[in-house]
Amino acid sequence: MYTGEYGSSEEDSVEEPKLKYERLANGVTEILQKDAASCMTVHDKFLALGTHFGKVFLLDIQGNVTQKFEISPVRINQISLDESGEHVGICSEDGKVQVFGLYTREGFHENFDCPVKLLLYERNWLNRWKTSTLHEGEGTINNVQWRANLIAWANNVGVKIYDISTKQRITNVSRDNVSLRPDMYPCSLCWKDNSTLIIGWGSSVKICAVKERDHAEMRDLPSRYVEIVSAFETEFFISGLAPLADQLVNLYFVKENSDHVEEEFRARPRLDIIQPLPEGFEELSSDALTVRNFQENECRDYRLEHSEGESLFYIISPKDIVVAKERDQDDHIDWLLDKKKYEEALMAAEISFKNVKRHEKIGMAYINHLVEKGDYDTAARKCQKVLGKNMELWENEVYRFKTIGQLKAISQYLPRGDLRLRPAIYEMILNEFLKTDYEGFATLIREWPGELYNNMTVVQAVADHLKKDPTNSTLLTTLAELYTYDQRYDRALEIYLRLRHKDVYQLIHKHNLFSSIEDKIVLLMDFDKEKAVDMLLDNEDKISTERVVEELRDRPELLHIYLHKLFKRDHHKGQRYHERQIGLYAEYDRPNLLPFLRDSIHCPLEKALEICQERNFVEETVFLLSRMGNCRRALQMIMEELEDVDKAIEFAKEQDDVELWEDLISYSIDKPPFITGLLNNIGTHVDPILLIHRIKEGMEIPNLRDSLVKILHDYNLQILLREGCKKILVADSLSLLQKMHRSQMRGVRVDEGSICESCHTSILPSDMAQNFSVAVFHCRHMFHKECLPSLGTIPGVQFCNICSAKRRGPGSGILEMKK
C-alpha cells in the first residue's frame, strides 16, 4: 500500500509500494486551470492531450506545451497516433473525425450524425481513399483500439474484434452488466501484445487471447478465434487498464457504499496492480490517489494510458494528470530509510553501485540511528563498511565516539592497512585504554602494526604508569613488546626474563640475542632449565661451553644439568669437565653416576674411586675396582657389603675368571643361602661337582633338592645341545661334501679357444686327425700332457702347477683326453 503526496493507503502497512507518483505540471497546470482533460494518448516522443473545449495539446514528457490545435468546439473523445508519431486521428463529441499530419496538417475529416458506424479508410492503388464499413447498427461505438492486424471496438452490446489480414470479424465478446449505463461506465480496451486483448467494463475484467484455428476446423469459420483465458469481477468500477509484464494495472472508480467509513475516501480513484488467474486475481498493490476535484468526477471522467517502453502510467482526470511509474532502486532505498530499515538500505545501496555519496549518506544515517539507540558496538562495526577509505569521515567518527565515551567500541575497527589515520588518533585511543583497561591496551599493541603510532610516545606513557604500579605484569609485557618493535631487544629481554615470559626463547632465536644473554644464563636456567640447556647446546658456536661453565660455577646444580646433557649428546665434547662431573653426579644425580662412569673414557678412575669410597657408593666402587683390575676386592665388596650372591655370580660371569669362581665358592661354602644361589647358577660356567664335594656333611641347605634337579636338568640340556650341534655339523659337512663332489664331476668344455696354461698355445692341435692328449684339472686349468709339471710328493697324485702357486694343498684331480 502506498502513502505519499499522490497516494494514500487505506491502512498502515509495512509492505513496500510498487509504484511512485508525481503530478504532470508545467504547461498542463495552466491548461487544466482554464479547461478540463478528456483524453490523452502516449507516444515515445511526446504526449497528446484532448480537452473538454475541443483542443488538442502536444506535450513533452515534463508537461510543457509544444503544439496546440483548435479541433472542435466540443469535447475530444479519443486521440490516436501512428507509430512514427507524425499523423494523428482525433474524434470529438459532435461525431467528427479528423486525421492529419502533425507537421503538414494535410489529411481529411469526416462527419457523422452519431458515432454508430466503424469505417476503415484504406488507400487504393491510385492513392485514393477507399472506405469500408466494419460495423454499424448496434448503437454508439465508444472505444476503438488497433494493434497490428487486429482492430477491437466496443459499443453498447459488446466488444468485437476484426482481422484486417483476412477481412473477417473474429468474435463478439458480450457485455456482462447491461444494467450500467454505457455512457457513464464506458468500456476500457487495451492490447497487451499483438494477440492479447484486455477488456474492462463495469466491474468485469476479461483477458482474451486471439489464436489460430486448426485447418480441419476452419470450413466457413474465420482463421482465428478468441479464447477468454481469464475472467473475474472486481470490487470497484473500471476506468482504465494497462499491462505490466504478466501483471495488470487497473484504474478504479470506487463504488458508493454506505458501509465505508468516509464518503470522501470512497470517492478517490484507486490504482491497483493485480496478478490475473484463470478464475480470479491476486491483488499485489493498491493505492488510493488524491487527484484534484476527485469528489466531482464520475467513472467516465478517468482514463488510464501507458507507455510500454518505460512502464509509465498516466492517470487522467478532468483537473489533474498523475504519472505513475515503477519504483527503482533509489525509491526502494528511500522507503527502507523511511521505515528505519538501515541495514537493508545499506545493502541495497551497495548492490546498486550508483552513487558513493548516497551510500555514505545512508550509512551515516544508519550509524547515527545505532548510536542514538545506544548500540555502539554495531555502530562501530558498520563504520568499516560505510566509511571505507574516507579518512576525514573516519576521524570525525572517532572524535564523536570519544565525545560519547565509546572509543573502545570503535578501536578494533579502525583502518590499519595501507590506508590509515593520523598517528594522534591511534595514540588517543591507546591512551584511553591505558587509563582504564590494561588488558585491552595490551591487545591493541599486539594487534596494531607499530607504524600506526609514535612508538616512543607510547613507551613513555607506559613507563609513567609503571611508576605507579611497577610489578604489573600486563604493562611490563606490553612494554617488552614495544621495545621489541623498536628493536631495543636487550631491554625487552630483561623484562621477559624478569617476568619469566614464555616468549623469551623465541625472542632470543628470532633476533639472535645470544651475545646479550651471556651474563643471563643463570636467569634463563632458573626460568626453564630444559629449554635453556637445549638452546645453549644448540648454539655452541655462539656461546661456548667454557663461557657457560664459567657463568654456572656458583650454581653447581645447574652446571650439572648442563654438563649432563652435553655428555649425553657427545661423550667427548666436555671431557675436560669429566673429573668435575664425578662430584656433581655424586652430589645431585647418583642414579646417573654409574652410567657416566661406564660411558666416559676420560674421567680419572682414582679420583672417581676416592669419591665413591668416601660416600660409600658400593656399586660404583665395585665397578671402578673391576675396571682398575682389582676384581677380587670388587667381588669381596659384593659379598661382604652387598651380600648379594646373584650380583656376585653375575660379576664372576662377566669377568670369566676361574680364580674368582674359586674365591666365590670359598666365601659361600659356609653360607647355605649362598650355596643355593651358586647351585642354581654355576652349572653353565663351573663343574657343580667341585662345589658339591666341598659342602660339609650334614649342612642344611635351603631348596637343595630343587637346586640338584636344576643342575641335572641343565646338564641334560647341555648334553642335548651338544648332540644337536653334532648332528647339525655332520649334516652340514655331508651336504657341503656332496655339493663339492657334484661340482667337481661336472664336464669341462674344451674348444679352439682353450689354451695350455704352460705353453700358452691352443689346447687342441690344428690337425684333429692326429692323436693328442690333454689334461684338465678340476680347477679348470688345462695342459698338454707333455707340458704337465712333474708329479708331486704324493704318489699317483698330480697337482695343478697354477693352483699350487696360489694356494697350498692339492688343487684337484686330472682328466685325460685322447683321440
Side-chain angles (χ1 to χ4, degrees):
M1 308 293 275
Y2 182 82
T3 301
E5 183 180 357
Y6 303 111
S8 58
S9 62
E10 293 180 345
E11 57 183 33
D12 291 334
S13 172
V14 295
E15 293 183 10
E16 183 176 0
K18 304 291 185 183
L19 302 172
K20 63 178 179 179
Y21 302 89
E22 61 181 350
R23 181 170 279 121
L24 194 61
N26 299 322
V28 172
T29 303
E30 185 178 348
I31 292 170
L32 298 184
Q33 285 176 352
K34 303 174 183 178
D35 203 343
S38 60
C39 63
M40 192 172 79
T41 190
V42 180
H43 191 269
D44 292 340
K45 302 176 183 178
F46 58 89
L47 309 174
L49 174 65
T51 70
H52 282 229
F53 291 170
K55 297 179 179 62
V56 173
F57 296 89
L58 297 187
L59 313 169
D60 61 18
I61 57 175
Q62 282 81 32
N64 298 306
V65 177
T66 60
Q67 280 186 276
K68 174 183 176 183
F69 302 101
E70 299 281 351
I71 301 298
S72 171
V74 295
R75 169 186 172 131
I76 302 298
N77 284 339
Q78 194 164 354
I79 303 172
S80 180
L81 296 166
D82 66 349
E83 290 185 2
S84 67
E86 295 180 356
H87 296 85
V88 62
I90 304 170
C91 68
S92 55
E93 190 75 20
D94 56 7
K96 291 182 180 181
V97 175
Q98 297 186 39
V99 179
F100 56 87
L102 289 174
Y103 308 106
T104 64
R105 292 303 301 265
E106 294 179 357
F108 68 89
H109 63 88
E110 186 74 34
N111 295 324
F112 299 96
D113 293 333
C114 58
V116 295
K117 289 183 180 181
L118 181 62
L119 301 179
L120 175 64
Y121 287 82
E122 299 174 286
R123 289 187 185 273
N124 60 18
W125 63 280
L126 294 174
N127 202 28
R128 294 179 180 177
W129 291 105
K130 175 187 175 182
T131 305
S132 304
T133 301
L134 300 185
H135 184 72
E136 63 179 333
E138 288 187 354
T140 303
I141 297 173
N142 52 43
N143 198 345
V144 180
Q145 295 293 332
W146 190 344
R147 179 82 172 239
N149 291 325
L150 299 174
I151 301 175
W153 67 91
N155 57 23
N156 295 342
V157 177
V159 176
K160 280 76 175 173
I161 301 177
Y162 182 83
D163 186 350
I164 295 176
S165 61
T166 62
K167 309 295 184 182
Q168 293 176 313
R169 186 191 298 179
I170 297 174
T171 189
N172 174 46
V173 180
S174 300
R175 175 184 170 195
D176 289 338
N177 192 345
V178 297
S179 64
L180 296 175
R181 287 174 54 184
D183 59 328
M184 298 297 292
Y185 299 93
C187 177
S188 297
L189 298 177
C190 177
W191 287 102
K192 179 181 179 182
D193 51 42
N194 290 346
S195 60
T196 305
L197 178 67
I198 306 170
I199 304 171
W201 207 334
S203 59
S204 172
V205 177
K206 293 179 181 177
I207 301 176
C208 306
V210 180
K211 299 183 178 181
E212 298 288 340
R213 198 185 300 274
D214 292 339
H215 292 288
E217 300 177 355
M218 290 182 60
R219 298 178 187 169
D220 298 329
L221 300 174
S223 61
R224 296 184 181 183
Y225 70 98
V226 171
E227 178 182 340
I228 299 176
V229 295
S230 179
F232 50 86
E233 290 289 325
T234 64
E235 183 181 358
F236 310 112
F237 294 112
I238 297 167
S239 294
L241 299 164
L244 177 62
D246 62 338
Q247 299 164 358
L248 193 60
V249 179
N250 286 0
L251 177 62
Y252 292 129
F253 175 74
V254 179
K255 295 178 180 180
E256 298 290 343
N257 191 326
S258 59
D259 293 335
H260 283 260
V261 178
E262 295 181 12
E263 184 177 350
E264 182 185 26
F265 179 80
R266 292 198 305 269
R268 291 176 184 173
R270 296 176 63 97
L271 193 68
D272 286 11
I273 299 178
I274 65 172
Q275 178 67 59
L277 303 173
E279 297 181 358
F281 67 92
E282 178 185 357
E283 183 182 290
L284 304 178
S285 171
S286 181
D287 297 333
L289 307 179
T290 305
V291 298
R292 295 190 181 103
N293 296 345
F294 65 87
Q295 301 92 336
E296 302 173 9
N297 296 336
E298 300 290 343
C299 182
R300 66 181 180 180
D301 294 325
Y302 294 107
R303 298 287 185 92
L304 178 64
E305 299 293 339
H306 74 289
S307 173
E308 294 184 12
E310 301 181 53
S311 296
L312 293 174
F313 304 93
Y314 295 85
I315 298 94
I316 300 102
S317 67
K319 291 297 183 180
D320 208 356
I321 298 177
V322 176
V323 184
K325 63 175 66 176
E326 283 191 281
R327 296 168 60 83
D328 58 17
Q329 187 73 353
D330 286 338
D331 298 313
H332 173 60
I333 293 171
D334 288 337
W335 182 84
L336 291 172
L337 290 174
D338 185 60
K339 297 297 181 182
K340 298 190 182 302
K341 297 184 177 183
Y342 296 101
E343 181 80 17
E344 297 176 39
L346 193 59
M347 291 176 61
E350 290 172 358
I351 293 171
S352 66
F353 288 110
K354 287 182 179 178
N355 190 325
V356 175
K357 291 293 183 182
R358 178 168 173 79
H359 176 266
E360 289 179 354
K361 182 178 178 182
I362 295 168
M364 290 306 301
Y366 186 23
I367 293 172
N368 293 338
H369 171 71
L370 292 171
V371 170
E372 290 172 3
K373 283 175 51 180
D375 190 355
Y376 303 113
D377 289 336
T378 306
R381 187 170 65 251
K382 292 302 174 185
C383 285
Q384 281 186 311
K385 184 181 293 186
V386 173
L387 306 182
K389 300 178 180 180
N390 192 324
M391 296 299 106
E392 182 180 354
L393 284 180
W394 265 112
E395 292 197 5
N396 291 340
E397 283 305 300
V398 171
Y399 282 117
R400 178 165 74 151
F401 273 74
K402 181 182 187 308
T403 302
I404 60 178
Q406 292 296 328
L407 275 178
K408 290 184 179 180
I410 201 172
S411 62
Q412 58 183 311
Y413 304 108
L414 293 182
R416 60 183 76 170
D418 295 335
L419 293 171
R420 57 189 64 169
L421 307 177
R422 291 182 296 110
I425 300 295
Y426 300 100
E427 292 165 15
M428 177 177 68
I429 293 175
L430 289 173
N431 189 57
E432 180 69 20
F433 273 89
L434 193 55
K435 290 178 182 177
T436 59
D437 184 0
Y438 287 164
E439 293 295 336
F441 173 76
T443 301
L444 289 184
I445 293 298
R446 285 193 295 271
E447 293 179 352
W448 283 1
E451 299 89 351
L452 296 180
Y453 48 85
N454 186 315
N455 198 66
M456 290 307 299
T457 301
V458 179
V459 166
Q460 186 58 49
V462 175
D464 291 343
H465 277 265
L466 280 171
K467 292 177 182 178
K468 305 171 187 175
D469 189 1
T471 60
N472 189 287
S473 60
T474 301
L475 285 182
L476 286 170
T477 302
T478 307
L479 183 59
E481 292 172 358
L482 290 168
Y483 280 138
T484 301
Y485 177 76
D486 207 28
Q487 298 183 1
R488 296 161 68 181
Y489 303 119
D490 53 340
R491 302 291 297 273
L493 184 61
E494 288 178 8
I495 296 174
Y496 279 138
L497 287 173
R498 176 180 168 187
L499 295 174
R500 296 176 174 249
H501 196 278
K502 60 182 179 59
D503 291 341
V504 65
Y505 298 102
Q506 180 182 352
L507 181 70
I508 294 170
H509 281 289
K510 185 176 180 180
H511 301 290
N512 195 23
L513 303 180
F514 296 98
S515 60
S516 301
I517 65 169
E518 289 185 350
D519 58 347
K520 301 178 178 65
I521 294 174
V522 173
L523 289 175
L524 285 168
M525 292 195 67
D526 281 338
F527 175 32
D528 190 325
K529 299 178 181 62
E530 295 297 322
K531 280 189 177 182
V533 172
D534 287 339
M535 181 188 68
L536 293 170
L537 293 177
D538 290 339
N539 296 274
E540 287 183 80
D541 56 328
K542 298 168 184 173
I543 301 182
S544 66
T545 302
E546 291 76 11
R547 176 66 176 177
V548 176
V549 173
E550 175 64 22
E551 287 294 317
L552 297 177
R553 65 184 183 279
D554 296 329
R555 295 291 297 276
E557 73 281 7
L558 301 179
L559 178 62
H560 164 67
I561 295 172
Y562 173 77
L563 292 175
H564 173 65
K565 279 212 168 188
L566 176 64
F567 180 75
K568 285 294 183 182
R569 289 196 178 193
D570 190 329
H571 292 347
H572 307 289
K573 268 191 177 180
Q575 57 181 292
R576 61 184 293 187
Y577 305 110
H578 284 196
E579 180 177 348
R580 185 185 300 186
Q581 282 186 266
I582 299 170
L584 294 174
Y585 276 111
E587 182 67 27
Y588 303 107
D589 190 11
R590 183 188 172 186
N592 282 312
L593 174 58
L594 185 56
F596 170 74
L597 295 173
R598 291 182 188 276
D599 294 336
S600 174
I601 61 173
H602 304 290
C603 65
L605 299 181
E606 295 81 1
K607 179 68 173 178
L609 181 62
E610 179 184 347
I611 292 174
C612 292
Q613 286 178 337
E614 286 177 358
R615 296 175 179 268
N616 197 27
F617 291 171
V618 178
E619 291 186 21
E620 292 81 355
T621 302
V622 168
F623 169 75
L624 291 170
L625 288 172
S626 65
R627 189 166 173 181
M628 295 170 71
N630 195 351
C631 295
R632 301 187 73 173
R633 173 60 183 152
L635 179 64
Q636 182 181 356
M637 288 190 69
I638 294 173
M639 299 294 290
E640 293 178 353
E641 297 188 30
L642 296 181
E643 297 183 350
D644 189 338
V645 66
D646 293 328
K647 277 195 174 184
I649 294 170
E650 187 66 29
F651 181 77
K653 288 180 180 180
E654 289 177 0
Q655 303 302 319
D656 196 19
D657 187 342
V658 176
E659 291 183 0
L660 282 181
W661 283 108
E662 180 65 28
D663 290 346
L664 180 58
I665 292 172
S666 298
Y667 183 82
S668 305
I669 200 65
D670 60 345
K671 299 177 181 63
F674 278 37
I675 293 175
T676 301
L678 286 172
L679 290 174
N680 287 334
N681 294 280
I682 203 174
T684 55
H685 290 76
V686 179
D687 188 352
I689 297 299
L690 296 176
L691 175 62
I692 294 172
H693 284 164
R694 295 178 64 175
I695 297 174
K696 295 179 182 179
E697 188 174 347
M699 178 181 287
E700 185 176 341
I701 300 172
N703 302 314
L704 178 61
R705 178 179 174 279
D706 294 339
S707 299
L708 293 176
V709 169
K710 185 177 185 302
I711 289 173
L712 294 175
H713 180 270
D714 290 346
Y715 178 76
N716 289 333
L717 182 61
Q718 287 184 11
I719 297 299
L720 290 174
L721 286 174
R722 288 176 182 175
E723 290 179 352
C725 291
K726 181 180 178 182
K727 289 180 180 179
I728 292 171
L729 181 62
V730 171
D732 286 350
S733 299
L734 180 60
S735 174
L736 291 173
L737 179 62
Q738 291 173 342
K739 182 177 179 181
M740 184 184 72
H741 182 262
R742 286 194 302 271
S743 175
Q744 292 181 347
M745 293 302 293
R746 290 175 183 169
V748 179
R749 181 183 178 86
V750 180
D751 55 21
E752 292 82 353
S754 304
I755 62 172
C756 173
E757 296 292 342
S758 179
C759 66
H760 302 294
T761 60
S762 176
I763 200 70
L764 298 177
S766 57
D767 185 3
M768 295 296 293
Q770 299 179 358
N771 289 331
F772 64 92
S773 181
V774 175
V776 180
F777 288 84
H778 289 300
C779 61
R780 301 299 191 268
H781 292 139
M782 305 176 187
F783 298 88
H784 295 120
K785 188 170 182 181
E786 58 271 20
C787 295
L788 279 172
S790 60
L791 293 174
T793 58
I794 303 175
V797 179
Q798 186 84 40
F799 291 99
C800 172
N801 192 43
I802 302 299
C803 294
S804 63
K806 296 180 179 179
R807 63 177 185 272
R808 295 182 180 276
S812 61
I814 182 171
L815 299 176
E816 189 172 327
M817 299 172 59
K818 291 184 179 179
K819 181 167 167 55

